[in-house]
Amino acid sequence: MNTASSSHPLTGHGWDTDWEAAFAPYAEQGLTVGRVVRVDRGLCDIVTAEGTLRADTALVTPRDPLKVICTGDWAAVDTVADPPLVRTCLPRRTAFVRNTSSKRSEGQILAANVDHAIIAVPLTGDLELGRIERFLALAWESGAQPLIVLTKCDLVPDPVALSYLVEDVESTAPGVQVLPVSSAEGEGIEILQAVISGGTSVLLGPSGAGKSTLANALLGADVMEVQAIRDVDGKGRHTTTTRNLLALPGGGVLIDTPGLRGVGLWDAESGVGQVFSEIEELAERCRFHDCAHEAEPGCAVLAALEDGSLSERRLESYRKLLRENQRLLAKTDVRLRAEIRRDWKMKQAIGRAAMEAKGRRLH
């Protein structure tokens, strides 16, 4: 990414020379560039060099839900029209996509052109490592750099206990920075601000993770409405119902998102591979290149499981996310469906043969 002149009004919103080059053909048509900061039905708020305007999105509402206009998009706007009209969006650099909870298995884009995916994990209960791995898979697949923020660290006053929690999460997130923060005490906020300054960050996590409070701490003002956490179960109400793009005082922009109940994978095989990079590296040492890590001889993954260098939980989580991703793809790919059935039958045959061989050795 090439940084544009700091004098450009949109530099603080992520504008650079590469975006300028991409927009050049539309500038010649007399259109105005702007970044989408909020989307409503049929309308969106766009920040431009002249200020924020309300624009109609009727021309950019395709049938494909992954191509609809989204918070973080750069748009070419016809400001002569009344109301202003979005003509098109520039090609995205990155896109954070999840599978919807509907039975139709459609992808839903949560944020576009993101550099950092901040995954907020509250220290108010047991760490859900499987949920963290799921968020990480989507973050890696999006093209953004994940960052795990352990919120409410002031609720873990014992520094030794806190260090163990950080280590647990770090072992779940190879190659990802894990940062404990306390929005109430200000701990870790300056470090987080420094990490995400100069880029676009999306803030993700379940309700009750303290995202709105964290956003306020980063913004230096109570911009996001914060509701009280219920003492009984520690869960938060949905305080943010739309995705908003907000300029940070120290540089960069932040996209806040609603609390996510479900985080379904969406074509995230490479993202899963990055989350479980140690298993992928072990798999390269297996005797068979198509090893399923079930009962095959010479399996490096099973050997690591046996000697304790790989945990059963970690392997099961890896298998679960891969199966989920395959099921999703198989819904729309007939050939893949057939391949999955063949693989399943082959694994059954291998398992039966292994059991029979074991039985013969015992007798």
Side-chain angles (χ1 to χ4, degrees):
M1 181 179 69
N2 298 316
T3 305
S5 169
S6 59
S7 62
H8 193 284
L10 292 177
T11 298
H13 283 83
W15 183 252
D16 59 36
T17 54
D18 288 339
W19 287 122
E20 186 175 7
F23 185 73
Y26 304 105
E28 292 176 359
Q29 299 173 28
L31 299 177
T32 297
V33 70
R35 193 161 195 197
V36 179
V37 297
R38 178 189 174 102
V39 177
D40 297 313
R41 289 193 176 186
L43 297 169
C44 66
D45 292 339
I46 297 181
V47 60
T48 70
E50 289 74 37
T52 302
L53 54 82
R54 190 79 161 158
D56 193 309
T57 63
L59 295 182
V60 285
T61 51
R63 292 182 178 179
D64 185 347
L66 297 183
K67 294 181 179 178
V68 300
I69 193 167
C70 176
T71 302
D73 272 325
W74 285 96
V77 187
D78 180 354
T79 57
V80 176
D82 187 18
L85 186 62
V86 177
R87 291 289 181 184
T88 190
C89 290
L90 299 184
R92 293 164 177 157
R93 292 177 181 171
T94 62
F96 194 96
V97 181
R98 70 163 178 171
N99 184 24
T100 64
S101 56
S102 69
K103 295 181 180 179
R104 292 176 295 180
S105 293
E106 292 180 340
Q108 178 191 25
I109 181 165
L110 297 180
N113 301 312
V114 172
D115 301 299
H116 304 281
I118 304 172
I119 302 166
V121 179
L123 293 176
T124 52
D126 293 335
L127 288 173
E128 296 185 46
L129 299 179
R131 181 192 286 268
I132 294 172
E133 289 162 343
R134 183 177 292 272
F135 270 110
L136 284 171
L138 292 174
W140 281 122
E141 192 68 34
S142 75
Q145 171 65 46
L147 168 65
I148 297 176
V149 172
L150 302 179
T151 62
K152 310 178 185 182
C153 71
D154 54 297
L155 299 181
V156 187
D158 182 354
V160 175
L162 181 59
S163 69
Y164 284 147
L165 291 172
V166 172
E167 286 179 13
D168 286 344
V169 177
E170 286 177 337
S171 66
T172 301
V176 177
Q177 182 176 2
V178 179
L179 180 63
V181 304
S182 168
S183 300
E185 304 290 336
E187 184 178 344
I189 297 299
E190 287 187 4
I191 299 174
L192 179 57
Q193 287 172 328
V195 171
I196 64 176
S197 65
T200 297
S201 303
V202 61
L203 186 53
L204 305 153
S207 292
K211 296 191 305 302
S212 294
T213 307
L214 179 59
N216 285 335
L218 292 170
L219 291 161
D222 291 336
V223 176
M224 311 304 296
E225 180 186 359
V226 180
Q227 296 184 19
I229 302 299
R230 295 194 298 275
D231 291 333
V232 175
D233 55 10
K235 295 180 181 178
R237 298 184 178 92
H238 287 279
T239 57
T240 305
T241 57
T242 59
R243 290 175 284 280
N244 304 278
L245 186 147
L246 305 156
L248 296 170
V253 291
L254 179 71
I255 299 175
D256 193 23
T257 64
L260 301 175
R261 288 192 183 94
V263 227
L265 298 187
W266 181 260
D267 194 9
E269 184 174 353
S270 65
V272 173
Q274 283 182 277
V275 176
F276 300 92
S277 57
E278 81 280 23
I279 298 179
E280 298 269 304
E281 290 171 6
L282 286 168
E284 292 178 1
R285 302 203 294 268
C286 290
R287 182 183 301 177
F288 303 108
H289 74 277
D290 58 348
C291 183
H293 322 306
E294 297 286 353
E296 296 88 345
C299 175
V301 173
L302 294 180
L305 192 65
E306 189 172 344
D307 67 22
S309 57
L310 175 65
S311 72
E312 181 72 35
R313 188 211 67 79
R314 187 90 168 136
L315 180 57
E316 281 305 309
S317 183
Y318 172 67
R319 288 169 171 164
K320 178 181 178 181
L321 293 183
L322 282 183
R323 285 196 302 268
E324 179 181 328
N325 197 64
Q326 276 198 320
R327 282 196 301 269
L328 172 69
L329 295 177
K331 289 182 178 180
T332 55
D333 190 325
V334 175
R335 185 171 62 180
L336 179 60
R337 248 194 331 264
E339 289 177 359
I340 290 173
R341 281 198 296 270
R342 282 198 300 272
D343 287 345
W344 181 70
K345 290 179 180 178
M346 186 180 298
K347 289 176 184 176
Q348 279 191 317
I350 292 172
R352 284 196 299 269
M355 291 298 293
E356 290 172 0
K358 184 177 181 180
R360 286 194 295 271
R361 288 197 300 271
L362 291 174
H363 291 87

